[in-house]
Every structure is written in structure tokens, then in C-alpha cells.
Amino acid sequence: MKNRIIYLAIFVVLFGACQKGAEQKQNKITNDLKFWTWITADGSRADSSYVAEFKKYKQNGLDAVLINTHTDSKLLARLTPIAKKEGLEVHAWIMAMNRPGDSLALQHPDWYAVSREGKSCYDTRPYVDYYQWLCPTRKESRQHVLNLVERLAKVKGITSVHLDYIRFCDIFLPVGLLPKYNLVQNTELPQFDFCYCDVCVTEFMKKHQRDPQKMKHSEIDMEWKQFRLNKIKAVVDEAYKIAHNHNKELSAAVFPYPEMADHMVRQRWDKWNIDQVLPMIYNHFYNEGTDWIGFATAQGIKDLANKKTELHTGIYVPPLSPKELKEAIVQAKASGAKGVAFFDGSAITDEQFKVIKSFK
Ligand SMILES: [Zn+2]
């Protein structure tokens, strides 16, 4: 009898513990969204100014910073312990295939991507002055990008190397940006179509026995597109190995959802080896409302269903009212995102911080 009472007591205690565990898990789920923000570092700023900035992020509910140091690993090594001390995770943000003003690459004009018009990004920049794309196929340019990834992966304390511009130049711009450039894009325009360099053309011809330079309608040649999707994937998969060799993860800023990324910038991120993707679901760029943030997030989540890759929704904060920002976060969460990343840290207003904090 005494034993039975003891067993019963143990059972009650255990059951209570399980219930508490379940409640905690429930609480964790509701507060579990990870919040990130992208920032661009300035080496001339004092440590104390970064302490203040990171403190502000942490106090307002952010968990991680993606820091662009323009691949300056010393600056990253300086800022990482400061951010970590304030309780933030650090991710090393790198502009991967688009490398404007890269002093080493500029010594090799043949590393740059070439348009269907035959013009190189070395001296002809599509759309904007900061577009200077490297070829992902040519051994040397590809290796240069991977060397930069490794340089950042070696920095102590960072969580991931974060690839940005890991794609081709936009063959189609977001519809909301077209008027700004006074452009109509009903088809693939040759000046925005890459890469037709000797290495890409030769390798494709060897594989598929036709010359992309001579195609009347290159926009409907599926193998030519697939060739380029695979070239970007190959860079990512190699970067993944490098990051993991240094016990770091690999993450990337990508276009809103895989088919859209494929269509606009030849980027098929659901097929990559990568730990986290942060799709830039910037609704205003596409003349969309906050409901579209839910739609695009759900699309990506479905495409990643059988993979370990986490999806964290990227939100462009400047045009959003506090109410819209709240809706955007709710949409991302309801659609299955593991977190939300805000672009960018310096643009988040006090009213917006209040909204972000309210989710924690
Ligand atoms: Zn090329």
C-alpha cells in the first residue's frame, strides 16, 4: 500500500513536470520568432557607439545582426565580441557575385560577367553604378568569391557567413521599381542577360552542342537557364562546405520565393545546401500589400518541406506603418517562418521597435 502511494506520488510529480514542460514549449512557440537586422559597418566609429547600437537592438527584441564589413575580416573580428556581449548573434554579410569596386577582381577584367550584347560588367554596369557582377563559372572569379567566404568563416564567434547578391544580375526588375528606371520589361532584354563570357559559352556548347550567343530566343532555352541556375548553386554548395569546415553555418538573402527568384534573377534557392534563407519579401517593391508577405513566405516554406533549411522572412521597413509592420510579422509567422529579418537596422523607427518588442 505504502509503495502504491509512493508510485502515485511519483506519477503526480512526473505528470506535473510533463505538463509544465508542455506549457513551456507552448510559450516557446509563441515567443519563438527569431528577429534579425542587416547593418553596414563603419570602421571609423568607436566601439562605444556600437555598444549603444547593439544594446538598443537587444533591448527591443532583436536576436541577431547581419554585419556587412565589405569583407573586412579585422573589422568583423572587432565588432563580433561587442555584439555578442550584448546578447546578439553575428552573421557575416557578404556581397557575393556582385562585387563593385573589388580591388583584386578589378585587376582581372576577364572575371566579370558579360551580357548578351557582349558587354562586360567590368566597364558597363547594368541598371546602377554599384552593379559589377562576376562570372560564377570561370574558375578564378568563382574561387575569388569562395576565398572571401573563407576569410569571413574564419572569424571567431560568428554564427554564419551570409551570402547576398548570390545570383545573376536582374533579368527582370521588381515591377514597382521599373518606373524609377523608366523601363518596360516585357521580355528578357540583352543588356540585362548574363553571362555570355567565353568560359560560360564554351562549357555550355560542350554540354549541349549549341551556342547561346546564336540563339534567336535564348529566353525559352531551358538548358541555358538551367546551366546558369546550376552555376549559382555550385558556388553556394561549395560555400556551404567551407563554412561548415570552420564550424560556421551558411545563410543567404534571396528573392521572395523560388519560382520568382528563378524568373527574375536565375536563383533557385530551394535546391541549395544552406542552413537559413532570408527571402527579401519586400512587398512595396512589387506593389503588394502585407498579405503577400504571407503568400510568399508560405510558398518558400512549402518548397523547403523536405529540407533542413530554415526560412526567415525579410521585411523592408521604411514604408511600413507600425500597424503594417505588425501585420507583416503576423503574416510571416502564420505562414511558418522561423523568424523575421528587418532591412535595415538604421532605418527602424522607435514606433517600429515598439512593435518588434511586443512580439517578445
Ligand atoms: Zn561567364
Side-chain angles (χ1 to χ4, degrees):
M1 184 66 188
K2 201 177 161 193
N3 278 349
R4 279 180 65 189
I5 291 171
I6 290 169
Y7 285 139
L8 190 66
I10 290 171
F11 174 76
V12 168
V13 169
L14 281 178
F15 183 71
C18 287
Q19 257 200 329
K20 206 173 162 205
E23 274 166 29
Q24 272 170 348
K25 203 175 168 199
Q26 197 70 40
N27 285 341
K28 204 166 173 252
I29 287 163
T30 48
N31 296 317
D32 209 15
L33 271 188
K34 177 170 169 177
F35 287 148
W36 319 49
T37 193
W38 285 278
I39 62 165
T40 299
D42 171 1
S44 69
R45 278 175 56 189
D47 287 1
S48 57
S49 123
Y50 278 105
V51 170
E53 181 174 348
F54 295 144
K55 225 181 249 309
K56 185 178 178 187
Y57 293 155
K58 185 66 190 177
Q59 282 169 355
N60 284 291
L62 296 187
D63 305 290
V65 278
L66 302 129
I67 308 181
N68 181 9
T69 59
H70 302 287
T71 67
D72 180 345
S73 54
K74 278 192 189 140
L75 179 55
L76 186 66
R78 189 191 123 202
L79 298 180
T80 299
I82 301 174
K84 289 192 74 178
K85 198 171 168 218
E86 297 308 323
L88 296 169
E89 227 175 64
V90 176
H91 300 262
W93 166 17
I94 171 178
M95 290 176 72
M97 301 318 303
N98 178 28
R99 303 225 25 93
D102 180 321
S103 55
L104 179 58
L106 283 169
Q107 293 170 31
H108 305 274
D110 58 337
W111 287 7
Y112 289 85
V114 175
S115 72
R116 183 146 53 99
E117 277 187 328
K119 290 181 179 166
S120 167
C121 278
Y122 174 71
D123 47 19
T124 305
R125 302 180 182 201
Y127 299 111
V128 282
D129 198 39
Y130 65 88
Y131 264 17
Q132 210 172 20
W133 298 83
L134 297 180
C135 169
T137 308
R138 188 178 292 265
K139 202 174 147 212
E140 295 81 5
S141 46
R142 182 177 179 276
Q143 193 54 48
H144 172 59
V145 172
L146 293 170
N147 290 347
L148 294 172
V149 167
E150 179 146 40
R151 183 197 290 179
L152 296 175
K154 283 178 178 168
V155 174
K156 211 175 140 200
I158 65 154
T159 300
S160 86
V161 177
H162 180 72
L163 305 174
D164 193 7
Y165 293 94
I166 180 68
R167 56 181 180 89
F168 282 86
C169 170
D170 321 52
I171 184 72
F172 293 108
L173 276 190
V175 66
L177 300 184
L178 285 171
K180 193 179 156 197
Y181 296 97
N182 205 13
L183 274 172
V184 177
Q185 291 185 322
N186 295 327
T187 184
E188 295 191 356
L189 299 171
Q191 64 270 41
F192 306 125
D193 185 13
F194 295 87
C195 175
Y196 291 76
C197 80
D198 296 346
V199 174
C200 284
V201 168
T202 308
E203 194 178 317
F204 181 81
M205 281 178 75
K206 218 168 147 189
K207 218 173 246 168
H208 298 286
Q209 297 78 47
R210 56 187 184 273
D211 184 347
Q213 290 166 313
K214 292 184 182 145
M215 289 171 190
K216 225 175 174 184
H217 289 286
S218 56
E219 73 275 15
I220 55 166
D221 193 293
M222 225 14 91
E223 283 74 36
W224 178 225
K225 179 152 100 170
Q226 191 60 46
F227 176 85
R228 292 176 284 178
L229 293 172
N230 287 345
K231 287 299 172 192
I232 295 295
K233 174 177 161 58
V235 176
V236 175
D237 291 355
E238 199 55 39
Y240 179 85
K241 283 187 211 155
I242 293 168
H244 281 252
N245 279 344
H246 293 277
N247 295 318
K248 306 294 173 10
E249 296 185 335
L250 188 74
S251 62
V254 295
F255 268 53
Y257 56 91
E259 288 84 356
M260 192 168 187
D262 170 321
H263 173 71
M264 297 183 72
V265 296
R266 314 200 195 288
Q267 178 193 60
R268 192 63 202 239
W269 48 260
D270 55 327
K271 304 196 177 189
W272 295 352
N273 291 337
I274 193 155
D275 298 292
Q276 294 101 15
V277 284
L278 280 59
M280 299 172 281
I281 308 183
Y282 298 168
N283 57 312
H284 281 81
F285 289 19
Y286 302 93
N287 300 333
E288 298 280 358
T290 47
D291 56 332
W292 182 76
I293 293 172
F295 162 75
T297 299
Q299 280 297 129
I301 292 284
K302 267 185 241 160
D303 291 330
L304 293 174
N306 298 318
K307 302 197 76 170
K308 280 188 283 180
T309 307
E310 287 184 4
L311 187 150
H312 299 252
T313 300
I315 292 176
Y316 186 71
V317 297
L320 297 176
S321 69
K323 190 170 166 254
E324 285 169 328
L325 178 62
K326 188 178 174 184
E327 280 168 16
I329 297 171
V330 167
Q331 287 276 350
K333 189 180 171 189
S335 305
K338 289 256 188 239
V340 176
F342 306 99
F343 190 88
D344 67 353
S346 63
I348 306 171
T349 65
D350 289 345
E351 286 76 24
Q352 289 173 332
F353 270 129
K354 263 185 212 157
V355 172
I356 293 167
K357 200 178 174 180
S358 73
F359 281 85
K360 292 280 171 161

